[in-house]
Amino acid sequence: MTTASDLPVVDETDIDRYDPEYRAWLREAVRKVQADGNRSADTHLLTIPLPPEWGIDLYLKDESTHPTGSLKHRLARSLFLYALCNGWLRPGRPVIEASSGSTAVSEAYFAKLIGVPFIAVMARSTVQSKIDLIEFHGGRCHLVDNPCEVYEVAARLAEEQGGHYMDQFTYAERATDWRGNNNIAESIFRQLDQERYPEPAWIVATAGTGGTSATIARYVHYTMRNTGICVADPENSAFLAGWRDADRNASSDNGSRIEGIGRQRVEPSFIPGSVDRMMRVPDAASVATIHLLERLLGRKCGASTGTGVWAAFRVIAEMLAQGRHGSVVTLLCDPGERYLDKYYSDTWLADQGIDPDPYSARLEHFLLTGDLGC
């Protein structure tokens, strides 16, 4: 007869951390973030007028119409859902982010939505209008002189304050559902469905975290399309060198002057193998392009939009030279009103040694002839 003393000793430790109050808060927080996505109508796909005889259509995905005014609203929503569902966010504890501005604006919005504090660690050179928007949404800003310090400072603040470092540069590529779920790529292809060239020859993106280009590229490959993925990179960014040389340790000594894109290191969310082409765009070309867009669209755009559109024009010039027809898509990342004291200021441009006039002349020549002079 077996007695209790004959049974093997087994560790039956049972640790129950189920917290009804926290789970109720979590369900409500997720509901609020998902409801924001339901309320926000999909962003528009604008056309940039080109000579009809070219047989090429250029589209601009207008991400400035999101509630927080930029492409980063999608990313912030995904990051918050990812962090909430992983159990990383807790009531009353702060969310900290390293940001160049627009992501912090959007994350401040979502932090306020679910009722947690928010701190943005960003370069002191960030335009005041973005700082004002972060504070408008209830966040506060921690400014650093060296943009390369934002990662370390954000992580330290999170540890000191018992909060969560959101770390967009690591998690951007994995927080977004790239297979669908109304991500930006699925939206683009759905909106192109009735156009004369529904499968674009190229989609041109720009990279800050690398998450957007990764999402678009993965979706293109997953849905078995022929669309090429081009990433336009500004001056002083490490992405192009890292992609060209297959070197994830590539770096740049200076920070990008085009806010929101270009980094001094190759960020973890940048997926080089998903990208077909990279193109360096001079900062002066980006600025010249946003002034042209103001004339063509009747609205101001941020300089990161100019970076992408200049690269799209180069792609179109090549297609014309090759006798190809088709469509090209790029992104309107955020509104130019945030940068009136920067990219729309003659004084700032002169201080930076940026002269857009030669590129403006090339743009005028391109619209007349299809030749960008590259």
Side-chain angles (χ1 to χ4, degrees):
M1 178 178 178
T2 302
T3 65
S5 61
D6 296 323
L7 295 175
V9 177
V10 178
D11 184 354
E12 296 186 9
T13 301
D14 182 359
I15 301 174
D16 184 353
R17 291 180 176 171
Y18 186 90
D19 182 343
E21 290 186 9
Y22 161 69
R23 291 295 292 272
W25 176 86
L26 176 61
R27 289 194 300 273
E28 181 63 6
V30 171
R31 184 196 66 77
K32 288 177 178 179
V33 176
Q34 291 194 5
D36 173 86
N38 291 337
R39 287 193 306 270
S40 303
D42 203 1
T43 60
H44 298 165
L45 195 62
L46 309 178
T47 57
I48 297 179
L50 297 175
E53 62 271 19
W54 288 5
I56 297 176
D57 298 327
L58 176 59
Y59 299 92
L60 199 57
K61 180 68 166 163
D62 184 5
E63 295 293 284
S64 71
T65 58
H66 283 295
T68 53
S70 82
L71 169 68
K72 299 300 185 180
H73 193 85
R74 290 182 191 268
L75 172 59
R77 184 192 296 126
S78 295
L79 287 168
F80 266 78
L81 283 173
Y82 190 70
L84 283 165
C85 294
N86 283 338
W88 294 342
L89 304 188
R90 298 283 163 161
R93 297 186 185 180
V95 171
I96 294 94
E97 182 62 284
S99 173
S100 59
S102 288
T103 303
V105 173
S106 299
E107 288 190 12
Y109 168 92
F110 283 104
K112 183 178 182 180
L113 187 68
I114 67 172
V116 296
F118 178 76
I119 303 170
V121 180
M122 57 178 58
R124 198 173 300 278
S125 59
T126 303
V127 292
Q128 184 63 41
S129 60
K130 286 186 179 178
I131 295 172
D132 294 340
L133 283 170
I134 293 165
E135 294 175 346
F136 171 78
H137 289 299
R140 65 184 181 89
C141 300
H142 185 102
L143 304 180
V144 298
D145 293 319
N146 183 353
C148 288
E149 295 177 353
V150 294
Y151 319 95
E152 179 183 348
V153 173
R156 189 186 73 239
L157 286 176
E159 183 176 358
E160 291 173 352
Q161 301 194 23
H164 173 64
Y165 172 28
M166 193 66 87
D167 194 2
Q168 60 165 322
F169 298 105
T170 294
Y171 294 107
E173 57 89 7
R174 66 192 73 172
T176 301
D177 185 355
W178 50 266
R179 295 174 184 84
N181 197 21
N182 195 35
N183 67 39
I184 189 170
E186 184 180 51
S187 174
I188 287 170
F189 281 98
R190 185 177 62 250
Q191 291 173 318
L192 286 172
D193 185 57
Q194 299 301 315
E195 300 298 307
R196 62 173 175 169
Y197 305 115
E199 183 172 297
W202 288 92
I203 296 178
V204 179
T206 49
T209 62
T212 299
S213 62
T215 297
I216 294 172
R218 285 166 164 169
Y219 183 83
V220 164
H221 304 324
Y222 180 67
T223 55
M224 298 169 287
R225 303 175 190 271
N226 291 320
T227 301
I229 307 300
C230 175
V231 172
D233 210 28
E235 295 176 29
N236 302 326
S237 176
F239 286 124
L240 188 146
W243 179 82
R244 180 193 61 210
D245 303 331
D247 179 11
R248 293 206 69 94
N249 294 316
S251 63
S252 170
D253 292 334
N254 300 303
S256 170
R257 294 180 294 187
I258 307 300
E259 284 200 25
I261 62 172
R263 302 296 300 173
Q264 288 179 256
R265 69 176 193 179
V266 180
E267 299 295 352
S269 284
F270 181 65
I271 310 299
S274 69
V275 174
D276 299 294
R277 178 177 183 177
M278 290 202 67
M279 188 184 302
R280 178 75 74 205
V281 176
D283 294 347
S286 300
V287 174
T289 304
I290 61 173
H291 288 289
L292 173 66
L293 288 174
E294 184 175 11
R295 195 180 83 210
L296 295 177
L297 301 176
R299 58 192 294 186
K300 290 180 169 64
C301 305
S304 59
T305 300
T307 305
V309 173
W310 175 272
F313 284 159
R314 277 193 59 183
V315 168
I316 290 170
E318 292 173 2
M319 291 174 65
L320 285 169
Q322 297 162 2
R324 296 173 58 199
H325 295 168
S327 60
V328 177
V329 181
T330 187
L331 310 177
L332 197 168
C333 303
D334 61 1
E337 283 73 16
R338 295 181 175 182
Y339 308 101
L340 296 180
D341 295 333
K342 206 165 188 178
Y343 309 119
Y344 291 90
S345 166
D346 291 339
T347 300
W348 185 87
L349 293 174
D351 289 344
Q352 295 293 315
I354 295 175
D355 180 10
D357 289 346
Y359 293 95
S360 296
R362 287 170 61 177
L363 287 168
E364 296 298 334
H365 182 73
F366 166 73
L367 292 179
L368 290 173
T369 67
D371 178 9
L372 197 54
C374 298

Coordinates of all heavy atoms in Angstrom, one line a residue, residues 20-81:
P20 N -7.5 41.5 -10.6 CA -8.8 42.0 -11.3 C -8.8 43.5 -11.6 O -9.3 43.9 -12.7 CB -9.9 41.6 -10.3 CG -9.3 40.5 -9.4 CD -7.8 40.9 -9.3
E21 N -8.2 44.3 -10.7 CA -8.3 45.7 -11.0 C -7.4 46.1 -12.2 O -7.8 46.9 -13.0 CB -7.8 46.5 -9.7 CG -8.8 46.5 -8.6 CD -8.4 47.3 -7.4 OE1 -7.4 48.1 -7.6 OE2 -9.0 47.3 -6.4
Y22 N -6.2 45.5 -12.2 CA -5.3 45.7 -13.3 C -5.9 45.2 -14.6 O -5.9 45.9 -15.7 CB -3.9 45.1 -13.1 CG -3.1 44.9 -14.4 CD1 -2.6 46.0 -15.1 CD2 -2.9 43.7 -15.0 CE1 -1.9 45.9 -16.3 CE2 -2.2 43.5 -16.1 CZ -1.7 44.6 -16.8 OH -1.0 44.5 -18.0
R23 N -6.5 44.0 -14.6 CA -7.1 43.5 -15.9 C -8.2 44.3 -16.3 O -8.4 44.5 -17.5 CB -7.5 42.0 -15.6 CG -6.3 41.1 -15.5 CD -5.4 41.0 -16.7 NE -6.2 40.3 -17.8 CZ -6.2 39.0 -18.0 NH1 -5.5 38.2 -17.2 NH2 -6.8 38.5 -19.0
A24 N -9.0 44.9 -15.4 CA -10.1 45.8 -15.8 C -9.5 47.0 -16.5 O -10.0 47.5 -17.5 CB -11.0 46.1 -14.6
W25 N -8.4 47.6 -15.9 CA -7.8 48.8 -16.5 C -7.2 48.4 -17.8 O -7.4 49.2 -18.8 CB -6.7 49.2 -15.5 CG -5.9 50.4 -16.1 CD1 -6.2 51.7 -16.0 CD2 -4.7 50.3 -16.9 NE1 -5.2 52.4 -16.7 CE2 -4.3 51.6 -17.2 CE3 -3.9 49.2 -17.3 CZ2 -3.1 51.9 -18.0 CZ3 -2.8 49.5 -18.1 CH2 -2.4 50.8 -18.4
L26 N -6.6 47.3 -18.0 CA -6.0 46.8 -19.2 C -7.1 46.7 -20.3 O -6.9 47.2 -21.4 CB -5.3 45.5 -19.1 CG -4.7 44.9 -20.3 CD1 -3.6 45.8 -20.9 CD2 -4.1 43.5 -20.0
R27 N -8.2 46.1 -20.0 CA -9.3 45.9 -21.0 C -9.8 47.3 -21.5 O -10.0 47.5 -22.7 CB -10.4 45.1 -20.4 CG -10.1 43.6 -20.3 CD -11.4 42.8 -20.0 NE -12.1 43.3 -18.8 CZ -11.8 42.8 -17.6 NH1 -10.9 41.9 -17.4 NH2 -12.5 43.2 -16.5
E28 N -9.9 48.2 -20.5 CA -10.4 49.5 -20.9 C -9.4 50.3 -21.7 O -9.7 51.0 -22.7 CB -10.8 50.3 -19.6 CG -11.4 51.7 -19.8 CD -12.7 51.7 -20.6 OE1 -13.2 50.6 -20.9 OE2 -13.1 52.8 -20.9
A29 N -8.1 50.2 -21.4 CA -7.1 50.8 -22.1 C -7.0 50.3 -23.5 O -6.9 51.1 -24.5 CB -5.7 50.7 -21.4
V30 N -7.0 49.0 -23.7 CA -7.0 48.4 -25.1 C -8.2 48.9 -25.9 O -8.2 49.2 -27.0 CB -6.9 46.9 -25.0 CG1 -7.1 46.3 -26.4 CG2 -5.5 46.5 -24.5
R31 N -9.4 48.9 -25.2 CA -10.6 49.3 -25.9 C -10.5 50.8 -26.4 O -10.8 51.1 -27.5 CB -11.8 49.2 -24.9 CG -13.1 49.6 -25.6 CD -14.2 49.9 -24.6 NE -14.0 51.0 -23.8 CZ -14.2 52.3 -24.2 NH1 -14.6 52.5 -25.5 NH2 -14.0 53.3 -23.4
K32 N -9.9 51.6 -25.5 CA -9.8 53.1 -25.9 C -8.8 53.2 -27.1 O -9.1 54.0 -28.0 CB -9.3 53.9 -24.8 CG -10.3 54.1 -23.6 CD -9.7 54.8 -22.5 CE -10.7 55.1 -21.4 NZ -10.1 55.8 -20.2
V33 N -7.7 52.5 -27.1 CA -6.8 52.6 -28.2 C -7.4 52.0 -29.5 O -7.2 52.6 -30.6 CB -5.5 51.9 -27.9 CG1 -4.5 51.9 -29.1 CG2 -4.8 52.5 -26.7
Q34 N -8.1 50.9 -29.4 CA -8.7 50.3 -30.6 C -9.8 51.2 -31.1 O -10.1 51.4 -32.3 CB -9.2 48.9 -30.3 CG -8.1 47.9 -30.1 CD -8.5 46.5 -30.2 OE1 -9.7 46.2 -30.5 NE2 -7.6 45.6 -29.9
A35 N -10.6 51.8 -30.2 CA -11.6 52.7 -30.6 C -11.1 53.9 -31.4 O -11.8 54.4 -32.3 CB -12.4 53.2 -29.4
D36 N -9.9 54.4 -31.0 CA -9.3 55.5 -31.7 C -9.1 55.1 -33.2 O -9.4 55.9 -34.1 CB -8.0 55.9 -31.1 CG -7.2 56.9 -32.0 OD1 -7.5 58.1 -31.8 OD2 -6.4 56.5 -32.8
G37 N -8.7 53.9 -33.4 CA -8.5 53.4 -34.8 C -9.8 53.3 -35.5 O -9.8 53.6 -36.7
N38 N -10.9 52.9 -34.9 CA -12.2 52.8 -35.5 C -12.7 54.2 -35.9 O -13.4 54.4 -36.9 CB -13.2 52.1 -34.6 CG -12.8 50.6 -34.4 OD1 -12.2 50.0 -35.3 ND2 -13.3 50.0 -33.4
R39 N -12.4 55.2 -35.0 CA -12.9 56.5 -35.2 C -12.2 57.2 -36.4 O -12.7 58.1 -37.0 CB -12.8 57.4 -34.0 CG -13.8 57.1 -32.9 CD -13.8 58.2 -31.8 NE -12.5 58.4 -31.3 CZ -11.9 57.8 -30.2 NH1 -12.6 56.9 -29.6 NH2 -10.7 58.1 -29.8
S40 N -10.9 56.9 -36.5 CA -10.1 57.6 -37.5 C -10.3 57.0 -38.9 O -10.0 55.9 -39.2 CB -8.6 57.5 -37.1 OG -8.4 58.0 -35.8
A41 N -11.0 57.8 -39.8 CA -11.2 57.4 -41.1 C -9.8 57.2 -41.8 O -8.8 57.8 -41.4 CB -12.0 58.4 -41.9
D42 N -9.7 56.3 -42.8 CA -8.5 56.1 -43.5 C -8.0 57.3 -44.1 O -8.8 58.2 -44.6 CB -8.6 55.0 -44.5 CG -7.3 54.3 -44.9 OD1 -6.3 54.7 -44.3 OD2 -7.4 53.4 -45.7
T43 N -6.7 57.5 -44.2 CA -6.1 58.7 -44.8 C -6.2 58.7 -46.3 O -6.3 57.6 -46.9 CB -4.6 58.8 -44.4 OG1 -3.9 57.7 -44.9 CG2 -4.4 58.9 -42.9
H44 N -6.2 59.9 -46.9 CA -6.5 60.0 -48.3 C -5.2 59.7 -49.2 O -4.1 59.8 -48.7 CB -6.9 61.4 -48.6 CG -8.2 61.8 -48.0 ND1 -8.6 63.1 -47.8 CD2 -9.1 61.1 -47.4 CE1 -9.7 63.2 -47.2 NE2 -10.1 61.9 -46.9
L45 N -5.5 59.3 -50.4 CA -4.4 59.0 -51.4 C -4.5 60.2 -52.4 O -5.4 60.1 -53.3 CB -4.6 57.7 -52.0 CG -3.3 57.1 -52.8 CD1 -2.1 57.0 -51.8 CD2 -3.7 55.8 -53.4
L46 N -3.7 61.2 -52.3 CA -3.7 62.3 -53.2 C -3.0 62.0 -54.5 O -2.1 61.2 -54.6 CB -3.1 63.5 -52.5 CG -3.6 63.9 -51.1 CD1 -2.8 65.1 -50.6 CD2 -5.1 64.1 -51.1
T47 N -3.4 62.8 -55.5 CA -2.6 62.7 -56.8 C -1.8 64.0 -57.0 O -2.3 65.0 -56.7 CB -3.5 62.5 -58.0 OG1 -4.5 63.6 -58.0 CG2 -4.3 61.2 -57.9
I48 N -0.6 63.8 -57.4 CA 0.2 65.0 -57.8 C 0.2 65.1 -59.3 O 0.5 64.1 -60.0 CB 1.7 64.8 -57.3 CG1 1.8 64.7 -55.8 CG2 2.6 65.9 -57.8 CD1 3.1 64.5 -55.2
P49 N -0.3 66.2 -59.8 CA -0.5 66.3 -61.3 C 0.8 66.2 -62.1 O 1.8 66.9 -61.8 CB -1.2 67.7 -61.4 CG -0.8 68.4 -60.2 CD -0.7 67.4 -59.1
L50 N 0.8 65.3 -63.1 CA 1.9 65.2 -64.0 C 1.4 65.3 -65.4 O 0.2 65.1 -65.6 CB 2.6 63.8 -63.8 CG 3.3 63.6 -62.4 CD1 3.8 62.1 -62.4 CD2 4.4 64.5 -62.1
P51 N 2.2 65.6 -66.4 CA 1.7 65.7 -67.8 C 1.1 64.4 -68.2 O 1.7 63.3 -68.0 CB 3.0 66.0 -68.6 CG 3.9 66.7 -67.6 CD 3.6 66.1 -66.3
P52 N -0.1 64.4 -68.7 CA -0.9 63.2 -69.0 C -0.2 62.3 -70.0 O -0.3 61.1 -70.0 CB -2.2 63.7 -69.5 CG -2.0 65.1 -69.8 CD -1.0 65.6 -69.0
E53 N 0.6 62.9 -70.9 CA 1.3 62.2 -72.0 C 2.4 61.3 -71.4 O 2.9 60.4 -72.1 CB 1.8 63.1 -73.1 CG 2.9 64.1 -72.6 CD 2.3 65.4 -72.1 OE1 1.1 65.4 -71.8 OE2 3.1 66.4 -72.1
W54 N 2.8 61.5 -70.2 CA 3.8 60.7 -69.6 C 3.3 59.3 -69.3 O 4.1 58.3 -69.3 CB 4.3 61.3 -68.3 CG 5.2 62.5 -68.4 CD1 5.5 63.2 -69.6 CD2 5.9 63.2 -67.4 NE1 6.3 64.3 -69.3 CE2 6.5 64.3 -68.0 CE3 6.0 63.1 -66.0 CZ2 7.3 65.2 -67.2 CZ3 6.7 63.9 -65.3 CH2 7.4 65.0 -65.9
G55 N 2.1 59.1 -69.1 CA 1.5 57.8 -68.7 C 2.0 57.3 -67.4 O 2.1 56.0 -67.2
I56 N 2.3 58.2 -66.5 CA 2.7 57.8 -65.1 C 1.9 58.6 -64.1 O 1.7 59.8 -64.2 CB 4.2 58.1 -64.9 CG1 5.1 57.3 -65.9 CG2 4.7 57.8 -63.5 CD1 6.5 57.6 -65.9
D57 N 1.4 57.9 -63.1 CA 0.6 58.5 -62.0 C 1.4 58.5 -60.7 O 2.0 57.5 -60.4 CB -0.7 57.7 -61.8 CG -1.6 57.7 -63.1 OD1 -1.5 58.7 -63.8 OD2 -2.3 56.7 -63.3
L58 N 1.4 59.6 -60.1 CA 2.1 59.8 -58.8 C 1.1 60.1 -57.7 O 0.3 61.0 -57.8 CB 3.1 60.9 -58.8 CG 3.9 61.3 -57.5 CD1 4.7 60.0 -57.0 CD2 4.8 62.4 -57.8
Y59 N 1.2 59.2 -56.6 CA 0.2 59.4 -55.5 C 1.0 59.7 -54.2 O 2.1 59.3 -54.0 CB -0.5 58.0 -55.3 CG -1.3 57.6 -56.5 CD1 -0.8 56.8 -57.5 CD2 -2.7 58.0 -56.7 CE1 -1.6 56.4 -58.6 CE2 -3.4 57.6 -57.7 CZ -2.9 56.8 -58.7 OH -3.6 56.4 -59.8
L60 N 0.3 60.4 -53.4 CA 0.8 60.9 -52.1 C -0.1 60.4 -51.0 O -1.3 60.9 -50.9 CB 1.0 62.4 -52.1 CG 1.9 63.1 -51.1 CD1 3.4 62.5 -51.3 CD2 1.9 64.6 -51.3
K61 N 0.3 59.5 -50.2 CA -0.5 59.0 -49.1 C -0.5 60.0 -48.0 O 0.6 60.2 -47.3 CB 0.0 57.6 -48.6 CG -0.7 57.0 -47.5 CD -2.1 56.5 -47.9 CE -2.7 55.6 -46.8 NZ -4.2 55.5 -47.0
D62 N -1.6 60.7 -47.7 CA -1.6 61.8 -46.8 C -1.8 61.4 -45.4 O -2.9 61.4 -44.9 CB -2.7 62.8 -47.3 CG -2.7 64.1 -46.4 OD1 -1.8 64.3 -45.6 OD2 -3.6 64.9 -46.6
E63 N -0.7 61.2 -44.7 CA -0.7 60.7 -43.3 C -0.9 61.9 -42.3 O -1.0 61.7 -41.1 CB 0.5 60.0 -43.0 CG 0.6 58.6 -43.7 CD -0.4 57.6 -43.3 OE1 -0.3 57.0 -42.2 OE2 -1.4 57.5 -44.0
S64 N -0.9 63.1 -42.8 CA -1.1 64.3 -42.0 C -2.5 64.5 -41.4 O -2.7 65.3 -40.6 CB -0.7 65.6 -42.7 OG -1.6 65.9 -43.7
T65 N -3.5 63.7 -42.0 CA -4.8 63.8 -41.5 C -5.2 62.9 -40.3 O -6.3 62.9 -39.8 CB -5.8 63.4 -42.7 OG1 -5.5 62.1 -43.1 CG2 -5.6 64.4 -43.8
H66 N -4.2 62.2 -39.8 CA -4.4 61.5 -38.5 C -4.7 62.5 -37.4 O -4.3 63.6 -37.5 CB -3.2 60.7 -38.2 CG -3.1 59.4 -39.0 ND1 -3.9 58.4 -38.9 CD2 -2.1 59.0 -39.9 CE1 -3.6 57.4 -39.7 NE2 -2.5 57.8 -40.3
P67 N -5.3 62.0 -36.3 CA -5.7 62.9 -35.2 C -4.5 63.7 -34.6 O -4.7 64.9 -34.2 CB -6.2 62.0 -34.1 CG -6.8 60.9 -34.9 CD -5.9 60.7 -36.1
T68 N -3.3 63.1 -34.7 CA -2.1 63.9 -34.2 C -1.3 64.4 -35.3 O -0.1 64.9 -35.1 CB -1.2 63.0 -33.3 OG1 -0.9 61.8 -33.9 CG2 -2.0 62.7 -32.0
G69 N -1.8 64.3 -36.6 CA -1.2 65.1 -37.7 C 0.0 64.5 -38.4 O 0.7 65.2 -39.1
S70 N 0.3 63.2 -38.2 CA 1.5 62.7 -38.9 C 1.4 61.2 -39.0 O 0.5 60.5 -38.4 CB 2.8 63.0 -38.1 OG 3.0 62.1 -37.0
L71 N 2.3 60.6 -39.9 CA 2.4 59.2 -40.1 C 2.6 58.5 -38.8 O 2.3 57.3 -38.6 CB 3.6 59.0 -41.0 CG 4.2 57.6 -41.2 CD1 3.2 56.7 -42.0 CD2 5.5 57.7 -42.0
K72 N 3.2 59.1 -37.8 CA 3.6 58.5 -36.5 C 2.4 58.1 -35.7 O 2.5 57.3 -34.7 CB 4.6 59.3 -35.7 CG 5.8 59.7 -36.4 CD 6.7 58.4 -36.8 CE 8.0 58.8 -37.4 NZ 8.8 57.6 -37.7
H73 N 1.2 58.6 -36.0 CA 0.0 58.2 -35.3 C -0.2 56.7 -35.4 O -0.6 56.0 -34.4 CB -1.2 59.0 -35.8 CG -2.4 58.9 -34.9 ND1 -2.6 59.7 -33.8 CD2 -3.5 58.0 -34.9 CE1 -3.7 59.4 -33.2 NE2 -4.3 58.4 -33.9
R74 N 0.0 56.1 -36.6 CA -0.2 54.7 -36.8 C 0.8 53.9 -35.9 O 0.5 53.0 -35.2 CB 0.1 54.3 -38.2 CG -0.9 54.7 -39.2 CD -0.5 54.2 -40.6 NE -1.3 54.8 -41.7 CZ -2.4 54.3 -42.2 NH1 -2.9 53.1 -41.7 NH2 -3.1 54.8 -43.2
L75 N 2.1 54.4 -35.9 CA 3.1 53.7 -35.1 C 2.8 53.8 -33.7 O 2.9 52.8 -32.9 CB 4.5 54.4 -35.4 CG 5.6 53.9 -34.5 CD1 5.8 52.4 -34.7 CD2 6.9 54.7 -34.9
A76 N 2.4 55.0 -33.2 CA 2.1 55.1 -31.7 C 1.0 54.2 -31.3 O 1.0 53.6 -30.2 CB 1.8 56.6 -31.4
R77 N -0.1 54.1 -32.1 CA -1.2 53.2 -31.8 C -0.7 51.8 -31.7 O -1.0 51.1 -30.7 CB -2.3 53.4 -32.8 CG -3.5 52.5 -32.5 CD -4.5 52.4 -33.6 NE -5.0 53.7 -34.0 CZ -5.0 54.2 -35.2 NH1 -4.4 53.5 -36.2 NH2 -5.5 55.4 -35.5
S78 N 0.1 51.4 -32.6 CA 0.6 50.0 -32.6 C 1.5 49.7 -31.4 O 1.4 48.7 -30.8 CB 1.4 49.7 -33.9 OG 0.5 49.8 -35.0
L79 N 2.4 50.7 -31.1 CA 3.3 50.5 -30.0 C 2.5 50.4 -28.7 O 2.9 49.6 -27.8 CB 4.3 51.7 -29.9 CG 5.4 51.7 -31.0 CD1 6.1 53.1 -31.0 CD2 6.4 50.6 -30.8
F80 N 1.5 51.2 -28.5 CA 0.7 51.2 -27.3 C 0.0 49.9 -27.2 O -0.1 49.2 -26.1 CB -0.2 52.4 -27.2 CG 0.4 53.5 -26.4 CD1 1.3 54.4 -27.0 CD2 0.0 53.8 -25.1 CE1 1.8 55.4 -26.3 CE2 0.6 54.8 -24.4 CZ 1.5 55.7 -25.0
L81 N -0.6 49.4 -28.2 CA -1.3 48.1 -28.2 C -0.3 47.0 -27.9 O -0.6 46.1 -27.1 CB -2.0 47.8 -29.5 CG -3.3 48.6 -29.7 CD1 -3.8 48.4 -31.2 CD2 -4.4 48.2 -28.7

